[in-house]
Amino acid sequence: MAWDFSTEPEFQAQLDWMRDFVREEIWPTEVLELDQPQLERLLAPLQERVKERGLWAAHLPPELGGQGFGQVKLGLMHEILGTSPLAPVAFGNQAPDSGNSEILALVGTPEQQERWLHPLLAGELHSAFSMTEPGSAGSDPTLLETRAVPDGDGWVINGHKWFSSNGSIADFLIVMAVTDPEARPHQRASMFIVPVDTPGVEIVRDVPTMEHPQEEYGRIGGHAEIVYRDVRVGPDALLGTQGAGFLIAQHRLGPGRIHHCMRWLGVSRRAFDMLCERSLTRVSHGSVLAEKQTIQNWIADSAAEMQAARLMTLQAAWMIDAEGPGAARKEISLIKFYGARVLHDVIDRALQAHGALGYSTDLPLERMYRFARAARLYDGPDEVHRATVARQILRGYEAPPDGVPSEHVPTRRDAARLKFAELLEAVTQND
Ligand SMILES: Cc1cc2nc3c(=O)[nH]c(=O)nc-3n(C[C@H](O)[C@H](O)[C@H](O)COP(=O)(O)OP(=O)(O)OC[C@H]3O[C@@H](n4cnc5c(N)ncnc54)[C@H](O)[C@@H]3O)c2cc1C
């Protein structure tokens, strides 16, 4: 009977080290007002300490300089890394570089790995994942319009993308483009490595967003709009096989959603701690907030929801480790929309409990709140994940004959009378 929620002591020691390190060394760097190159210089010695501890780029297999941990351990790590937007950078697994390095590790040729993956892991390069388009619904990527057409031994790419996170600081882009328009919908697209200085790549702007309303071009975490105009790449740009774009995306996005959800729990926990702390000090109408039932409900509901999201996410991670991302499709979709809601609700309560202070930039809650809103959109909007869950669940059901609900009491009574006719006669004989 294997049903075990414990963490092995050696790994627990690593998690304890991480928790202290992130809190003591990374949290303070959040409030320094540094530009990108200054921040990178500041984080460099911290990255060395992570490497010495054997925790660098833990999402990759050991032969590529990673730790080969599996999703449960990675999930537990990401819960700690999620507490600070800078922690993933210090640990060599910040999005989108982490997902892109997974793609290169999974399907990259030795030459592609040598040229792109190793420098990416060494922190010498930045990358972006360029799939979503302003002109087609990202929630249904079979509608992609960007085309890659064979040209000599290479390809010519034309299209218009946006929300390519980190696109304006990237050295190369992983671009999803239609190569086989007549093939079955999920075999139409392929992925290409496009160096950002290839003629025809135009980084138009970083799109101002709720997260960064005053967008500055070329900052980490910006979401780039990019036009690809007759962009010619060689045969070595194709990742994996032609038509395998969706298959590769699925491999990248499944585990990536576990990491997102665990990072969200890290953020939620930080907001929750602020909620609890504030409730002990703020006095209103004769008592501290901690004595008001509404606040107690917020604390209890938040604790229950975070616990539920955590167990659901770790169980999905365990399924991926045991059977692969394909087997955990329903579980991954469940946590994606449920985790995003928990993230939002916990932050919202913490912000509300702080009143005007919560709304101000004197606390990180307003930033967390804006961050939380995006979680309901990226890597698939809530509605699409709910539809996936419902479809998977409904596969286990059949419509009842004649449309009569199988629990319909009069129908069941008739059937039971038939089934037990002899027995009924015997037991009711003397009545
Ligand atoms: C912060 C952030 C970072 C991002 N980073 C990247 C990145 O690095 N690379 C990249 O390629 N993309 C990125 N994206 C884009 C993201 O993947 C898309 O926004 C997402 O896939 C949704 O696509 P869309 O915006 O085109 O919305 P649409 O597909 O137009 O959907 C809009 C809305 O329609 C509704 N809807 C759609 N389908 C259904 C359905 N079946 N049932 C019910 N309702 C439905 C939903 O409410 C949905 O929110 C990022 C987005 C954000 C917000």
Side-chain angles (χ1 to χ4, degrees):
M1 164 86 187
W3 184 260
D4 189 352
F5 293 93
S6 61
T7 308
E8 58 199 49
E10 304 79 55
F11 193 68
Q12 186 58 53
Q14 290 285 52
L15 293 176
D16 293 343
W17 180 85
M18 277 181 74
R19 193 166 286 112
D20 289 345
F21 181 77
V22 168
R23 203 180 175 110
E24 300 303 322
E25 308 294 334
I26 313 263
W27 285 19
T29 65
E30 293 167 2
V31 288
L32 299 171
E33 286 153 343
L34 300 177
D35 64 21
Q36 189 61 32
Q38 290 167 335
L39 194 60
E40 285 179 12
R41 286 200 292 278
L42 185 86
L43 291 176
L46 300 179
Q47 291 171 331
E48 287 310 312
R49 287 175 62 190
V50 170
K51 286 178 190 167
E52 282 162 22
R53 190 77 198 183
L55 289 168
W56 179 255
H59 56 292
L60 288 179
E63 63 275 17
L64 292 170
Q67 309 304 323
F69 281 159
Q71 298 307 324
V72 171
K73 284 184 174 171
L74 279 177
L76 293 168
M77 280 183 71
H78 277 284
E79 187 179 18
I80 297 170
L81 297 185
T83 60
S84 172
L86 295 175
V89 185
F91 281 74
N93 52 22
Q94 74 279 16
D97 290 344
S98 53
N100 291 340
S101 62
E102 274 176 309
I103 292 179
L104 287 161
L106 189 72
V107 296
T109 61
E111 294 73 32
Q112 287 171 332
Q113 293 185 352
E114 184 63 32
R115 182 164 175 207
W116 304 110
L117 177 59
H118 298 306
L120 189 63
L121 291 176
E124 293 158 10
L125 296 181
H126 289 299
S127 66
F129 185 70
S130 196
M131 178 156 149
T132 307
E133 303 172 344
S136 71
S139 49
D140 181 1
T142 62
L143 301 173
L144 280 181
E145 290 172 355
T146 297
R147 285 291 313 271
V149 178
D151 179 59
D153 62 350
W155 302 85
V156 171
I157 302 173
N158 276 288
H160 185 184
K161 302 281 188 183
W162 77 338
F163 275 83
S164 301
S165 303
N166 281 0
S168 65
I169 58 153
D171 299 281
F172 69 96
L173 309 146
I174 294 186
V175 182
M176 184 95 150
V178 174
T179 43
D180 307 87
E182 306 307 325
R184 289 163 63 183
H186 287 96
Q187 291 164 1
R188 283 180 197 157
S190 307
M191 283 190 194
F192 296 90
I193 304 172
V194 179
V196 81
D197 54 6
T198 312
V201 175
E202 186 196 345
I203 313 282
V204 180
R205 59 172 180 155
D206 275 332
V207 182
T209 62
M210 232 175 123
E211 201 179 347
H212 303 297
Q214 275 85 41
E215 193 65 71
E216 296 159 36
Y217 181 84
R219 68 190 266 178
I220 201 156
H223 307 293
E225 179 174 349
I226 306 177
V227 172
Y228 299 86
R229 199 173 287 114
D230 294 328
V231 176
R232 192 173 193 293
V233 289
D236 55 344
L238 181 66
L239 270 162
T241 52
Q242 187 177 328
F246 285 103
L247 200 65
I248 303 171
Q250 219 43 51
H251 272 280
R252 176 189 191 270
L253 292 174
R257 288 176 181 137
I258 301 283
H259 309 165
H260 276 314
C261 291
M262 291 305 285
R263 284 199 292 263
W264 296 341
L265 283 165
V267 182
S268 306
R269 180 73 213 193
R270 206 164 158 183
F272 178 76
D273 288 344
M274 292 166 72
L275 165 64
C276 294
E277 188 188 77
R278 182 66 166 179
S279 74
L280 294 175
T281 57
R282 193 65 161 176
V283 175
S284 170
H285 292 92
S287 66
V288 284
L289 295 184
E291 286 171 26
K292 319 281 183 204
Q293 195 169 26
T294 296
I295 306 290
Q296 291 167 349
N297 287 345
W298 287 351
I299 291 171
D301 287 350
S302 300
E305 289 160 14
M306 288 191 300
Q307 173 92 328
R310 187 171 193 270
L311 291 173
M312 282 162 73
T313 310
L314 289 172
Q315 195 243 359
W318 172 81
M319 275 189 85
I320 295 181
D321 285 345
E323 297 174 54
R329 228 173 137 214
K330 183 185 79 188
E331 285 69 18
I332 291 170
S333 278
L334 265 178
I335 56 157
K336 173 65 181 52
F337 75 82
Y338 185 72
R341 194 174 76 200
V342 172
L343 171 74
H344 173 274
D345 289 355
V346 174
I347 295 169
D348 188 54
R349 291 170 190 137
L351 194 153
Q352 187 73 9
H354 282 82
L357 177 62
Y359 189 74
S360 79
T361 58
D362 283 358
L363 284 182
L365 286 165
E366 62 78 34
R367 176 181 53 74
M368 292 176 176
Y369 190 78
R370 289 180 285 125
F371 166 80
R373 189 60 187 82
R376 294 185 51 204
L377 293 168
Y378 57 71
D379 276 11
D382 287 1
E383 295 72 22
V384 173
H385 285 290
R386 283 196 170 93
T388 301
V389 168
R391 264 201 315 272
Q392 298 261 333
I393 289 174
L394 288 172
R395 276 188 200 142
Y397 289 83
E398 275 177 20
D402 305 328
V404 179
S406 50
E407 292 280 2
H408 186 243
V409 171
T411 310
R412 286 175 58 210
R413 189 176 293 122
D414 289 346
R417 280 183 180 142
L418 258 180
K419 181 179 169 99
F420 298 113
E422 281 181 29
L423 202 59
L424 277 175
E425 203 175 321
V427 297
T428 55
Q429 218 168 39
N430 300 328
D431 292 349

